[in-house]
Amino acid sequence: MGKTIPEQPFASRAKDDRSTAHNSSYNERNDAIIKAATMLIARDGYEKASMRAVAAEAGVSPASMYHYFDGKEAMLFTILFRAFSGLESNLRMKTHLIEDPLEQMRIMIAEHVMFFANDMDGLKLCSHELDSMRGKAYEELHRIRRSYYHHTREIVNNLVKKYNLKVCDSHVATMSLFSSLNWLYRWYDPHTSSRSPAVLGKLFFEQFIGGLTGSELLQQDNGEET
Amino acid sequence: MGKTIPEQPFASRAKDDRSTAHNSSYNERNDAIIKAATMLIARDGYEKASMRAVAAEAGVSPASMYHYFDGKEAMLFTILFRAFSGLESNLRMKTHLIEDPLEQMRIMIAEHVMFFANDMDGLKLCSHELDSMRGKAYEELHRIRRSYYHHTREIVNNLVKKYNLKVCDSHVATMSLFSSLNWLYRWYDPHTSSRSPAVLGKLFFEQFIGGLTGSELLQQDNGEET
DNA sequence: ATAATTGTCGAACGCCCGTTCGGGTGTTTG
DNA sequence: CAAACACCCGAACGGGCGTTCGACAATTAT
């Protein structure tokens, strides 16, 4: 009993960590289930996407699903964990050796957009279905998410410091940036749009930096209103 | 048969338009249901929020719900219709007599944030649950949403024209603005935050205008990269 | 007073859900 | 060769869902 929440430090594994075994058929099926679940949950939402539908899409029986995952929630956890930690570790890796915060910022935005373009459904779930998780699983995902936020926020702070920007509220600025990135799944499809992910990242970067540095259009009567 | 989708021009009414009648108890119950449904769907999501739970929250029996709404989807439609059309008509009203697009933009952002602060759950549903609608109901809501977008986009275009901004992509700029506004429900609570809606609107406005006009930080080597 | 309409609800219907059970296959291990 | 194990699934369980039905009160119209 108590199968739904694994015991100790929580990780991205499925039911057991068979990733070291030389059994390839297991991992193939596992990935097929993850892929089917990601697509269907992105399309229909977590509650509406049924285990039966995921099983049919993945080509297995509903009962076999429980060979690979403890349950529906554990399945969603695996999807979100992979996406969130991939995003976070990629950011850490790509900005590690860069010193200029402006360049770090450019990389962060470009990498996030690229990451989205490569896994639209996965990142949609990160934005849309995180609240479907409860308890320790939610906390673990939220921890990674917060780490990603802190990393970005630190870049913003260094940016403000280095270039002496008179930014009023770096929290709001950072949240606005995340808004643009997380809202992508609502309107942007790299396979359809005329804008490439690289171009879009550049636009976001310029907008964000412009938003941080302010505009001369607003210099006229700053300070009061009737 | 065919009760779920009303026949002709679709409107924000419940089952019948009893708003002209002098029966106050009917409208009170109706509003109580809408209020309960908005809260519960915002908290649990459309699929997870059950008619039984909404009925209990509103203080009626599950069966009585169907005196006021044709079904669950019609109930959500009413909520979304009120929020969307309120947002849209308010924008039209407030910018109608203003000529300067800069001032129009300031008003649009400030009004949207105010609107959110006054109906957080409603606007959360607009962002989160629109996809739960199907068919004609979805199309009607989408039409209002698009009208709101077009109105805003027009302001942006006039802004660019009047002040000779060299903005690269006004669609991306407008979507970024909507991102910031629609993402509010994820992190901002006017009752808890130290920032008032007015302050937040001002910050958004400044960021957006700064993002449109660009930054001198980026002037160095624009045009190529290795 | 009587008929018609409106509002209310307990009970139930039929459906789909996540999940489990028990028993099948193969395949590896001693 | 037999035991152990990984894998797979048809069938079922218990429960919650949206919705409907039919009867009963309350109000309004005639």
Side-chain angles (χ1 to χ4, degrees):
Chain A
M1 50 187 73
K3 278 179 60 181
T4 54
I5 301 295
E7 319 78 19
Q8 280 288 15
F10 236 79
S12 174
R13 57 203 159 90
K15 212 163 180 180
D16 283 308
D17 197 349
R18 282 183 181 75
S19 56
T20 56
H22 46 73
N23 189 339
S24 70
S25 126
Y26 178 89
N27 292 89
E28 277 174 19
R29 287 272 226 209
N30 195 313
D31 285 350
I33 294 175
I34 287 290
K35 192 177 168 188
T38 305
M39 188 270 281
L40 285 175
I41 297 177
R43 199 188 63 187
D44 301 330
Y46 174 72
E47 297 290 341
K48 210 173 181 182
S50 70
M51 293 295 268
R52 284 169 171 85
V54 173
E57 178 74 23
V60 300
S61 75
S64 287
M65 304 276 288
Y66 293 83
H67 234 337
Y68 297 90
F69 300 95
D70 280 337
K72 196 182 185 185
E73 194 169 314
M75 199 176 65
L76 177 61
F77 177 82
T78 301
I79 296 171
L80 295 181
F81 186 89
R82 289 186 187 179
F84 271 128
S85 55
L87 206 53
E88 204 266 348
S89 65
N90 185 61
L91 175 61
R92 197 196 312 276
M93 188 177 60
K94 292 289 172 53
T95 59
H96 189 239
L97 298 177
I98 309 294
E99 299 231 339
D100 180 21
L102 191 64
E103 178 65 6
Q104 284 184 325
M105 199 74 251
R106 197 191 62 76
I107 290 175
M108 181 270 168
I109 295 173
E111 286 294 323
H112 191 114
V113 176
M114 292 292 191
F115 212 92
F116 170 81
N118 287 331
D119 186 13
M120 284 197 293
D121 287 342
L123 282 209
K124 170 171 180 174
L125 298 203
C126 289
S127 293
H128 213 87
E129 307 288 0
L130 178 58
D131 293 336
S132 300
M133 304 297 300
R134 305 283 174 203
K136 287 190 178 179
Y138 174 81
E139 284 167 25
E140 168 134 7
L141 296 171
H142 203 263
R143 199 179 49 75
I144 306 172
R145 197 174 194 257
R146 188 148 42 214
S147 169
Y148 190 64
Y149 166 81
H150 276 138
H151 197 148
T152 306
R153 175 74 182 269
E154 201 57 35
I155 297 177
V156 174
N157 286 341
N158 291 336
L159 204 48
V160 170
K161 207 179 300 174
K162 174 168 180 181
Y163 295 97
N164 280 320
L165 305 178
K166 55 169 178 45
V167 63
C168 301
D169 196 318
S170 70
H171 176 59
V172 172
T174 309
M175 291 315 295
S176 283
L177 174 59
F178 278 126
S179 301
S180 296
L181 297 174
N182 291 331
W183 198 250
L184 274 175
Y185 77 91
R186 283 286 190 182
W187 64 279
Y188 177 66
D189 182 350
H191 305 109
T192 304
S193 171
S194 59
R195 305 163 186 86
S196 72
V199 165
L200 190 64
K202 188 181 172 190
L203 288 172
F204 277 168
F205 175 61
E206 292 169 355
Q207 277 179 20
F208 179 70
I209 300 300
L212 270 187
T213 53
S215 166
E216 67 278 7
L217 275 186
L218 273 32
Q219 299 297 350
Q220 34 201 40
D221 56 346
N222 227 341
E224 53 182 327
E225 47 188 333
T226 52
Chain B
M1 49 186 73
K3 278 180 60 183
T4 54
I5 300 295
E7 319 78 20
Q8 282 286 14
F10 236 78
S12 172
R13 56 202 159 90
K15 213 164 177 178
D16 283 307
D17 196 350
R18 282 181 181 75
S19 57
T20 55
H22 45 73
N23 189 340
S24 71
S25 131
Y26 178 89
N27 292 92
E28 277 173 19
R29 288 270 227 209
N30 195 314
D31 286 351
I33 293 174
I34 287 289
K35 193 176 168 187
T38 305
M39 188 271 281
L40 286 176
I41 297 176
R43 200 188 64 187
D44 301 331
Y46 174 71
E47 296 291 340
K48 209 173 182 183
S50 71
M51 294 294 269
R52 286 169 170 85
V54 173
E57 178 73 23
V60 300
S61 75
S64 286
M65 304 275 288
Y66 293 82
H67 251 289
Y68 296 90
F69 300 95
D70 280 337
K72 197 183 184 184
E73 193 169 315
M75 199 176 65
L76 177 61
F77 176 82
T78 301
I79 296 171
L80 294 181
F81 185 90
R82 287 188 187 179
F84 271 127
S85 56
L87 205 54
E88 203 265 349
S89 65
N90 184 62
L91 174 62
R92 196 198 312 276
M93 187 176 61
K94 292 290 172 52
T95 60
H96 189 239
L97 297 177
I98 310 294
E99 300 231 339
D100 180 21
L102 191 65
E103 176 68 5
Q104 284 184 326
M105 199 74 250
R106 195 191 64 75
I107 289 175
M108 181 270 168
I109 295 174
E111 286 294 325
H112 191 115
V113 176
M114 292 292 191
F115 214 91
F116 170 80
N118 287 332
D119 186 14
M120 284 197 292
D121 287 341
L123 282 209
K124 170 172 181 175
L125 298 203
C126 289
S127 293
H128 213 86
E129 307 287 1
L130 178 58
D131 293 335
S132 300
M133 304 296 300
R134 306 282 175 202
K136 287 190 177 179
Y138 174 81
E139 284 167 24
E140 169 134 6
L141 295 171
H142 204 264
R143 199 179 48 75
I144 306 172
R145 197 175 195 257
R146 187 148 44 215
S147 169
Y148 190 64
Y149 167 82
H150 276 138
H151 197 147
T152 305
R153 175 74 181 271
E154 203 56 34
I155 297 177
V156 174
N157 287 340
N158 291 335
L159 204 47
V160 170
K161 205 179 303 174
K162 174 167 181 181
Y163 294 99
N164 279 323
L165 304 179
K166 55 170 177 46
V167 63
C168 301
D169 196 319
S170 70
H171 178 57
V172 172
T174 308
M175 291 315 294
S176 284
L177 174 60
F178 277 127
S179 301
S180 296
L181 297 173
N182 291 331
W183 199 251
L184 273 175
Y185 77 92
R186 283 284 190 182
W187 64 278
Y188 177 65
D189 182 350
H191 305 110
T192 303
S193 170
S194 59
R195 303 165 186 86
S196 72
V199 164
L200 190 65
K202 189 181 173 190
L203 288 172
F204 278 167
F205 175 61
E206 292 169 355
Q207 278 178 20
F208 178 70
I209 300 301
L212 270 188
T213 53
S215 167
E216 66 276 8
L217 275 185
L218 273 31
Q219 299 297 352
Q220 33 202 42
D221 55 347
N222 226 342
E224 52 182 327
E225 46 189 333
T226 54

